[in-house]
Amino acid sequence: MSSAPAPLSTWARNISPSPTLAVDAKAKALAAAGEDVCGFAAGEPDFDTPDHIKEACIAALKSGKTKYAPTPGIEPLRQAIADKYLADYGYKAAPSQVIVSPGGKFSCYLAILATCSPGDEVIIPAPYWVSYPDMVELAGGTPVPVVAGIETQFKLTPEQLEAAITPKTKWFIFNSPSNPTGAGYTRAELKALCDVLMRHPQVWIMSDDMYEHLVFDDFKFCTPAEIEPGLYDRTLTCNGVSKSYAMTGWRIGYAAGPVALIKAMGTIQSQSTSNPCSVSQYAALEALTGPQDFLAANRTLFQRRRDLVVGMLYQAKGINCPTPEGAFYVYPDISALIGKTTPSGVTITNDEVFASALLEDTGVAVVFGAAFGLSPNFRVSYATSDALLQEACTRIQRFCASLV
Ligand SMILES: Cc1ncc(COP(=O)(O)O)c(C=O)c1O
């Protein structure tokens, strides 16, 4: 029996599915079918949400916090977020300047939806988190990727930002430490970008601080709201509990900014998801206000894994892997491998072919660089066990050595 094709909108036809989720799903399907797969695609910690956070959720469930909740988030959580911003960055935001949403992804999307009209441009340093350009397109805006390559450690220079700004620029999206490169901007580097933005009052700044707590060595996280108070009236500071607190499935993100923007985001949220999950918000409240000592332990763990992966990929023939400041990703360059051929006769013409041959021949799943707007590279998410990392990097070394 044949069925009629679904009457898809232009939005649905023009949007691409998340490539990172697609690669992860493929790796999981292969593993379920009995293949020996090392999955490096998923962008989430490999350990469980801490118990005290789960307990807060259980207590909320038991006390009947199971009804619709206020659209912009429960009051104590909005207050806790405002308190955190003040304590951590000296950034003063009233609870009315804070909105809680179902995941950090939705916080960013709400802001774009609330502000972008057809013709508006959004500057996105590339390589970028896969969702930014599609969000902008969904809102009818125009993504303007600006490549920040390996030569500047994947960081945008003030000159590049200045050159990309036009009268139509609505937003500059800033993400440090970055997905997919792990690159983190120093205070001086961020100040130089802020100085450019100070000269262009029509440009808003979205700072996606999702990897705030995952920084290594003596690197110090910083965010525009902390560095340049002169940008206060046009900065949206986004964050969430997903990565730092191992809470990807709970779906809680948040943002703080000028009241009018937060209100508009709330209106869209009220007509789309109503409110973020009530009991997840009580868990997030505990995450932000409860014990924080495991954050330092996580940093140590991830730094060790970063060093392991960078060290082993450094020894893989044809791979150039810079050492990132944070997050749990590395973004190696494979220019030297383009044009080579695998033992099974596949010519590596680009990073998508590389990633697919790597999965096929060795069972190692990585995400190809074109998905993030900079090739030829691939992204490794090292949020997995040392043993698996060691095994996967050994397979990558063997695969690279086998290319002719
Ligand atoms: C830079 C960045 N922002 C936001 C998100 C989304 O986080 P959440 O799972 O809370 O929607 C991610 C997830 O991969 C990310 O890498």
Side-chain angles (χ1 to χ4, degrees):
M1 197 174 72
S2 68
S3 61
L8 298 183
S9 67
T10 40
W11 304 128
R13 276 185 271 119
N14 290 341
I15 194 88
S16 17
S18 163
T20 46
L21 297 182
V23 174
D24 187 46
K26 188 172 173 188
K28 283 181 176 144
L30 285 172
E35 301 278 335
D36 178 16
V37 171
C38 302
F40 269 2
E44 62 182 346
D46 56 316
F47 39 84
D48 203 359
T49 306
D51 277 344
H52 67 280
I53 296 175
K54 289 185 185 171
E55 292 300 335
C57 174
I58 292 165
L61 274 170
K62 286 193 171 156
S63 64
K65 302 284 193 321
T66 54
K67 309 288 190 203
Y68 287 127
T71 291
I74 56 170
E75 200 56 35
L77 181 54
R78 294 171 87 194
Q79 182 67 57
I81 293 161
D83 291 347
K84 168 199 157 48
Y85 279 152
L86 184 61
D88 292 356
Y89 322 131
Y91 168 48
K92 204 166 178 187
S96 59
Q97 290 178 261
V98 173
I99 182 167
V100 184
S101 295
K105 187 179 273 186
F106 202 62
S107 304
C108 299
Y109 185 40
L110 279 177
I112 298 288
L113 271 186
T115 53
C116 276
S117 304
D120 288 342
E121 296 176 355
V122 177
I123 296 174
I124 307 173
Y128 43 69
W129 177 43
V130 292
S131 296
Y132 298 137
D134 285 284
M135 285 177 184
V136 173
E137 281 179 2
L138 269 173
T142 307
V144 179
V146 183
V147 170
I150 201 164
E151 59 291 343
T152 56
Q153 293 86 45
F154 304 118
K155 292 185 235 181
L156 196 71
T157 64
E159 293 74 25
Q160 285 180 295
L161 178 58
E162 182 74 62
I165 293 175
T166 75
K168 292 182 181 165
T169 306
K170 180 58 87 51
W171 284 100
F172 166 55
I173 299 185
F174 177 74
N175 172 220
S176 167
S178 142
N179 178 1
T181 64
Y185 288 70
T186 64
R187 296 177 88 82
E189 288 163 343
L190 178 52
K191 178 71 171 80
L193 295 181
C194 288
D195 289 347
V196 173
L197 294 163
M198 285 296 286
R199 294 198 285 274
H200 298 276
Q202 84 280 16
V203 183
W204 283 62
I205 303 93
M206 182 189 296
S207 185
D208 182 345
D209 300 349
M210 190 52 80
Y211 298 93
E212 167 194 13
H213 290 293
L214 293 167
V215 292
F216 312 129
D217 305 316
D218 51 4
F219 181 82
K220 272 192 90 62
F221 169 83
C222 54
T223 187
E226 172 188 20
I227 297 289
E228 182 48 85
L231 295 171
Y232 185 88
D233 289 339
R234 48 192 172 103
T235 298
L236 184 74
T237 305
C238 303
N239 208 321
V241 293
S242 298
K243 314 284 177 170
S244 300
Y245 297 93
M247 293 178 70
T248 45
W250 299 73
R251 311 308 305 134
I252 297 292
Y254 54 85
V259 172
L261 172 60
I262 298 297
K263 228 171 134 186
M265 290 166 67
T267 304
I268 298 175
Q269 183 153 289
S270 76
Q271 295 287 30
S272 49
T273 67
S274 294
N275 62 263
C277 168
S278 59
V279 292
S280 288
Q281 291 189 73
Y282 285 93
L285 177 61
E286 173 63 20
L288 293 183
T289 57
Q292 304 290 309
D293 36 327
F294 66 95
L295 293 176
N298 286 351
R299 265 197 295 275
T300 307
L301 175 77
F302 279 122
Q303 181 170 327
R304 194 184 70 224
R305 290 173 173 177
R306 177 203 62 173
D307 293 344
L308 188 159
V309 170
V310 170
M312 288 190 74
L313 291 183
Y314 182 74
Q315 287 167 31
K317 206 169 149 198
I319 287 187
N320 179 7
C321 183
T323 304
E325 290 86 4
F328 40 62
Y329 308 107
V330 290
Y331 199 67
D333 172 284
I334 53 162
S335 305
L337 299 178
I338 300 300
K340 299 211 177 272
T341 304
T342 69
S344 50
V346 175
T347 302
I348 309 287
T349 48
N350 57 43
D351 52 29
E352 188 164 1
V353 174
F354 173 87
S356 127
L358 185 69
L359 181 57
E360 195 77 18
D361 292 6
T362 72
V364 174
V366 297
V367 185
F368 54 94
F372 305 98
L374 180 68
S375 291
N377 292 70
F378 63 94
R379 188 193 77 171
V380 169
S381 167
Y382 55 80
T384 190
S385 73
D386 290 23
L388 200 66
L389 289 170
Q390 212 135 19
E391 170 62 25
C393 289
T394 306
R395 290 188 201 179
I396 294 175
Q397 286 175 349
R398 264 194 240 122
F399 179 74
C400 291
S402 74
L403 301 175
V404 286

